[in-house]
């Protein structure tokens, strides 16, 4: 049975990815930091549908915590085939409101956190017959967003990491890709009022907001055999917004 580790999988895009991989027959490792109850509910749903799931607590900004998480994946699943770096935080405010503590927290979680997990998981992925790394970036990592400078910078870093690592790991048979979601209807975006969401929808050619399942479908495809010759790519999941 193939295995997948999904960071930040207790809700939103991460939870949708966990559900998709569970239905596809993977042993799903649901990473969470503080939301144990939510992570367990994600696992219960997967198990109720006949899947295999294990919830693992780890703070991705803590390298020792990440090392223990990967060790548990090895213990419970025999290794790792797919890594989905989804965990992240956001901050909405002007650059002047983005103090050093906010900046450091954003970069440490959204960018360095992904580095920490990849670094710890890479030996396991190299042992896989078809290792996959899929990072979750954002359209703002490509184009930048006013009042989201730290988030845009971190997500742009994810794209650079993806493209460089794809070249380095290609000879090992590991593909490295990322998805760049547009506006997705999740808790992270709940701060936007109805007028703002309506404006975004109006500017989206498909005339709707995205769902976590839309992103999960793209992530699952990048992990599939059908995408075995795809690496270093940034797959937009934004309804044509950009």
């Amino acid at each position: 049975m193939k295995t997948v580790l999904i960071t930040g999988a207790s809700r939103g895009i991460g939870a949708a990815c966990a559900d998709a991989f569970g239905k596809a027959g993977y042993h799903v490792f649901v990473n969470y930091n503080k939301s144990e109850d939510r992570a367990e509910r994600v696992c219960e749903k997967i198990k109720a549908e006949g899947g295999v799931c294990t919830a693992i607590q780890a703070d991705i900004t803590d390298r020792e915590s990440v090392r223990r998480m990967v060790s548990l994946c090895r213990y419970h699943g025999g290794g790792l085939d797919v890594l989905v770096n989804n965990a992240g935080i956001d901050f909405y405010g002007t650059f002047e409101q983005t103090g050093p503590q906010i900046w450091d927290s954003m970069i440490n979680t959204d960018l360095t956190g992904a580095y920490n997990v990849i670094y710890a998981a890479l030996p396991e992925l190299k042992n896989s017959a078809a290792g996959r790394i899929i990072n979750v970036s954002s359209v703002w990592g490509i184009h930048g967003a006013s009042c989201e400078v730290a988030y845009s910078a971190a997500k742009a870093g994810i794209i650079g990491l993806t493209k460089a690592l794809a070249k380095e790991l290609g000879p090992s048979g590991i593909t490295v890709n990322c998805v760049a979601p547009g506006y997705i209807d999740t808790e992270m975006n709940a701060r936007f009022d109805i007028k703002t969401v309506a404006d975004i929808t109006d500017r989206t050619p498909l005339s709707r907001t995205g769902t976590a399942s839309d992103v999960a479908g793209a992530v699952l495809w990048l992990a599939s055999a059908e995408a075995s010759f795809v690496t270093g790519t940034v797959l937009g999941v934004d309804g044509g917004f950009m």
Side-chain angles (χ1 to χ4, degrees), residues 6-93:
I6 305 168
T7 65
S10 64
R11 62 179 183 174
I13 290 172
C17 286
D19 187 59
F21 275 94
K23 289 175 179 175
Y26 283 75
H27 182 161
V28 183
F29 292 102
V30 171
N31 160 253
Y32 68 95
N33 184 17
K34 298 177 181 177
S35 304
E36 181 178 5
D37 289 345
R38 285 188 168 194
E40 290 295 347
R41 285 198 293 271
V42 171
C43 278
E44 287 170 7
K45 182 175 185 296
I46 291 171
K47 291 175 181 177
E49 295 170 344
V52 180
C53 184
T54 305
I56 303 180
Q57 190 281 330
D59 177 354
I60 63 168
T61 67
D62 182 332
R63 288 171 183 148
E64 180 56 28
S65 180
V66 170
R67 187 196 64 78
R68 288 195 300 268
M69 174 174 64
V70 172
S71 294
L72 286 170
C73 291
R74 185 189 313 115
Y75 177 78
H76 290 289
L80 278 177
D81 297 296
V82 180
L83 169 61
V84 180
N85 279 307
N86 165 74
I89 58 175
D90 190 14
F91 172 75
Y92 188 81

Side-chain angles (χ1 to χ4, degrees), residues 159-175:
I159 291 172
L161 182 154
T162 297
K163 289 179 175 291
L165 199 58
K167 293 179 179 180
E168 185 173 323
L169 296 182
S172 299
I174 298 172
T175 66

Side-chain angles (χ1 to χ4, degrees), residues 2 43 47-48 55 93 95 98-99 104 128 135 157-158 160 165 169 186 198 203 211 222 226 241-242:
K2 286 187 176 182
C43 278
K47 291 175 181 177
F95 182 75
T98 308
D104 289 346
S128 171
N135 300 314
I158 286 290
L165 199 58
L169 296 182
T186 62
R203 292 166 57 194
T211 67
L222 287 170
E226 287 75 14
F241 183 78
M242 287 298 179

